[in-house]
Each structure stands twice: as structure tokens, then as C-alpha cells.
Amino acid sequence: MKIGIGNDHAGFPMKKELVPILESMGHEVIDYGTHNDERCDYPVYGEKVANAVAVGEVDCGVLLCGTGIGMSLVANKVRGIRAAAVSEPYSAKLSKMHNNANIICLGARVIGIETARMICEEWLGAEFEGGRHQDRIDLIMAIQDNQ
Ligand code: RB5
């Protein structure tokens, strides 16, 4: 899969460890920055990855900030994005199976790299179940369309 990855300064150290892990799983990783640990604004990088996913430049996205929360708030502003902030593998798997999350957001100050690896494995390996879950996603998207 082609994965877009983005982060702020808080997520930068984890990205350095996570990119080779994702590549070793056979994925291509496109890095949208930031590329160092100087303080920066997470919305800038969250938007870049969310847009890349929304237009199909990449298949899905991984966003890293201190908690994962800021990045999820940003990404979910972009039409067509379903970003899930998760801190354990079970929710990661269900975020794909039930919510068809196309971006996963990780808190680099909350979880360690092994948990991040397990989250990515579960999420990338899971399949969306469709059916009633698609109906619910359609309801979510309708909220956006009705704004
Ligand atoms: C940066 O200090 C921190 O606020 C950011 O990484 C993130 O946790 C925001 O949600």
C-alpha cells in the first residue's frame, strides 16, 4: 500500500522509527513532513496528508503528534476523511472493519513504538466489513453534505 505519513515536532522521533517498520511490511511511505523536531503547527502537516488521501495520491495516511488528537481533528475536517485517533490495536482494527478509517492518528507521547507497530499491523491488515457499517458511514458523510 502507498501510505502518506505526517507529523509535528512531537511526532518526529516516532516517525523516524515507524517509517522503516512500515517499509519492512512491504508498504511504500511518502513523507509529508515535518522533517525535524523544531516546534511547528500540526494542522499544516495533518492537512497535507489528509488532502493526499482525499485525492487518492496515497491509499491511506498515518499522522503523528503528541496525543494523536490534534491530528485527528485536522484530518476529519477534510471531505472524505475518516481519521481515527487510537492508542491500542483492538480499536485500530475495528476502526477499519467498522469505520473504514482511512487515516490513523497516533500519540507519540502516549504510546511506544511497539504499540505503534501493532496498531499499524492491525489497521493495515484489516478489511472494511461494509453492509450496515457502510450505511452508518453514509450517515456520517451526509452530516458533512448538509452543512
Ligand atoms: C504539541 O505540543 C502538541 O500539542 C501536539 O503534538 C498534539 O499533541 C496536539 O494535539
Side-chain angles (χ1 to χ4, degrees):
M1 232 182 291
K2 197 168 174 179
I3 302 172
I5 198 164
N7 57 282
D8 68 355
H9 52 287
F12 180 67
M14 178 173 275
K15 179 178 71 179
K16 284 195 291 183
E17 292 187 275
L18 192 56
V19 168
I21 290 172
L22 293 169
E23 288 173 340
S24 75
M25 293 175 188
H27 302 292
E28 181 186 355
V29 182
I30 311 293
D31 187 348
Y32 291 86
T34 187
H35 300 291
N36 56 56
D37 58 10
E38 282 171 37
R39 187 177 301 150
C40 65
D41 298 321
Y42 60 83
V44 174
Y45 302 96
E47 185 182 9
K48 284 179 197 282
V49 172
N51 283 335
V53 174
V55 302
E57 194 172 295
V58 292
D59 300 311
C60 59
V62 175
L63 289 171
L64 309 163
C65 64
T67 60
I69 294 170
M71 283 297 199
S72 68
L73 296 176
V74 172
N76 281 311
K77 291 288 181 194
V78 175
R79 189 171 292 276
I81 294 303
R82 294 172 300 281
V86 300
S87 54
E88 39 75 30
Y90 176 78
S91 300
K93 184 175 183 168
L94 270 289
S95 78
K96 176 68 75 59
M97 292 172 67
H98 289 188
N99 313 114
N100 203 14
N102 47 14
I103 293 184
I104 203 103
C105 303
L106 306 177
R109 291 174 175 163
V110 179
I111 60 170
I113 188 64
E114 267 311 296
T115 304
R117 182 185 61 76
M118 291 171 73
I119 285 171
C120 290
E121 264 176 5
E122 291 295 334
W123 178 60
L124 292 164
E127 294 284 337
F128 177 51
E129 288 181 350
R132 68 185 188 282
H133 300 296
Q134 182 60 55
D135 298 341
R136 292 160 185 166
I137 286 173
D138 292 344
L139 289 170
I140 295 172
M141 294 303 152
I143 296 170
Q144 200 166 44
D145 292 339
N146 291 337
Q147 293 299 301

